[in-house]
Amino acid sequence: MNIDYNLYRIFLYLYEEKSISKTAVKLYVSQPAVSYSLKELENQLGYKLFYRNSKGIEPTVEAKELYKYVSTAFNIFNDAEEHLKNLNSLNFGSIRIGVPTYIGVIYLTDYIEKFRIKYPGIKFEIISASTDSMIEMLENRKLDLVLDTLPIQSKKSVSKVTLTKLKNCFFYNKKLMKDVSIKSIEDLKNYQLIFPYKTLSIRKKLDEYLESKNLALTPVIESINTDMFLELVRRGLGIGYFAEDIVKKQKDFADFELISFTDLPDMDVCSVYIDEFLTKATSEFIKMLKSNNN
């Protein structure tokens, strides 16, 4: 069905103005053009829509029924137009971000707070998953932006902007693991290890480092969840490997012993996005991330 929306627009004005001449003035068209459009719509629908009287025109029963639907439809069109204008002006919209929990806690929350103060109409959706899963969601337009650490691979052409660096360390609960003695990284083979899950970037970077040392370390526990990971180390179930800033933020940090080696790999925290998919809100958020790291 081919719908001529201009005919229904004229119908709305006729119904509300109750006058062909007033409708013509409002729409900047001639009275014969209005009359012709009305006749065309009546022919298409098979109903008479208005009666003429001494005051102008009066809607028929059919016109009153039609008006309910047409006015609702045009209100929706107006709302949609306003919605798009607001998106462009950052009065309304959303940003969907994929980020590992630990990076979100120590890095992202401050920026979300600043952005929400500036643009209170923008809402955020935060998703934490494996690096590979988040990149797949980005490629499928289910996320607008991914914040993670290198290495990050994608099937599509993505933009990567390095934002900051995070130091990593090995650590354990010194109250529960009292006889730990580590002089070199090779000594870690003598202990139970708890590592981030193998699909996370922090783990991939560690594996690359260990491979360069021709050293194989096999964890007894792997976890993708930050809270679970920290709790396992807290309970003395092994030596963990994680971002130093996260460990230092724990309330019971005094219970932990940190082990660092000078050549342990730092993590480059970067924003990853696909330029052609960017919304106005996401672009502004990325600008904020960049400007605060220049």
Side-chain angles (χ1 to χ4, degrees), residues 195-198 200-207 219 222:
F195 284 173
Y197 195 66
K198 58 189 175 184
L200 296 174
S201 291
I202 182 175
R203 172 66 181 281
K204 291 179 179 180
K205 196 79 169 178
L206 173 62
D207 288 344
E222 297 174 277

Side-chain angles (χ1 to χ4, degrees), residues 153-172:
Q153 287 84 36
S154 172
K155 298 173 186 175
K156 291 184 179 289
S157 176
V158 298
S159 296
K160 300 177 186 175
V161 179
T162 300
L163 302 173
T164 190
K165 286 184 179 291
L166 295 177
K167 290 182 64 177
N168 296 315
C169 68
F170 293 94
F171 69 109
Y172 63 93

Side-chain angles (χ1 to χ4, degrees), residues 98-109:
V99 60
T101 309
Y102 65 96
I103 294 178
V105 170
I106 64 175
Y107 187 78
L108 187 59
T109 49

Side-chain angles (χ1 to χ4, degrees), residues 61-236:
V61 172
E62 291 80 9
K64 291 177 181 178
E65 288 299 312
L66 180 63
Y67 178 78
K68 295 176 186 176
Y69 293 96
V70 175
S71 61
T72 299
F74 273 82
N75 284 335
I76 292 173
F77 292 149
N78 290 334
D79 288 345
E81 186 177 277
E82 189 64 25
H83 174 78
L84 290 177
K85 288 178 180 177
N86 285 334
L87 280 177
N88 193 48
S89 65
L90 292 168
N91 292 326
F92 183 80
S94 65
I95 303 175
R96 301 164 299 173
I97 302 177
V99 60
T101 309
Y102 65 96
I103 294 178
V105 170
I106 64 175
Y107 187 78
L108 187 59
T109 49
D110 287 344
Y111 291 107
I112 291 177
E113 181 180 13
K114 291 176 185 176
F115 197 84
R116 287 273 304 151
I117 291 172
K118 189 173 183 181
Y119 304 112
I122 303 298
K123 73 173 186 175
F124 284 83
E125 298 174 32
I126 311 298
I127 294 173
S128 292
S130 70
T131 304
D132 293 341
S133 295
M134 292 190 296
I135 292 299
E136 184 178 354
M137 293 176 73
L138 179 70
E139 293 168 346
N140 293 325
R141 305 187 80 156
K142 295 179 180 178
L143 287 175
D144 302 306
L145 173 69
V146 171
L147 257 68
D148 207 337
T149 56
L150 298 177
I152 295 175
Q153 287 84 36
S154 172
K155 298 173 186 175
K156 291 184 179 289
S157 176
V158 298
S159 296
K160 300 177 186 175
V161 179
T162 300
L163 302 173
T164 190
K165 286 184 179 291
L166 295 177
K167 290 182 64 177
N168 296 315
C169 68
F170 293 94
F171 69 109
Y172 63 93
N173 188 325
K174 60 187 178 185
K175 288 187 176 181
L176 299 178
M177 299 177 65
K178 297 180 180 179
D179 299 323
V180 173
S181 177
I182 296 176
K183 305 297 183 183
S184 69
I185 194 165
E186 286 80 7
D187 293 334
L188 288 166
K189 291 192 292 186
N190 302 320
Y191 299 92
Q192 296 191 99
L193 303 173
I194 302 173
F195 284 173
Y197 195 66
K198 58 189 175 184
T199 58
L200 296 174
S201 291
I202 182 175
R203 172 66 181 281
K204 291 179 179 180
K205 196 79 169 178
L206 173 62
D207 288 344
E208 288 178 2
Y209 168 77
L210 294 174
E211 187 177 348
S212 72
K213 297 280 187 181
N214 294 315
L215 180 63
L217 295 179
T218 304
V220 295
I221 303 174
E222 297 174 277
S223 175
I224 199 170
N225 182 280
T226 299
D227 291 335
M228 173 69 76
F229 179 91
L230 290 168
E231 185 61 24
L232 292 167
V233 179
R234 184 175 284 114
R235 295 190 180 205

Side-chain angles (χ1 to χ4, degrees), residues 167 209 213 259-266:
K167 290 182 64 177
Y209 168 77
K213 297 280 187 181
I259 308 166
S260 187
F261 302 100
T262 55
D263 60 344
L264 272 181
D266 292 332

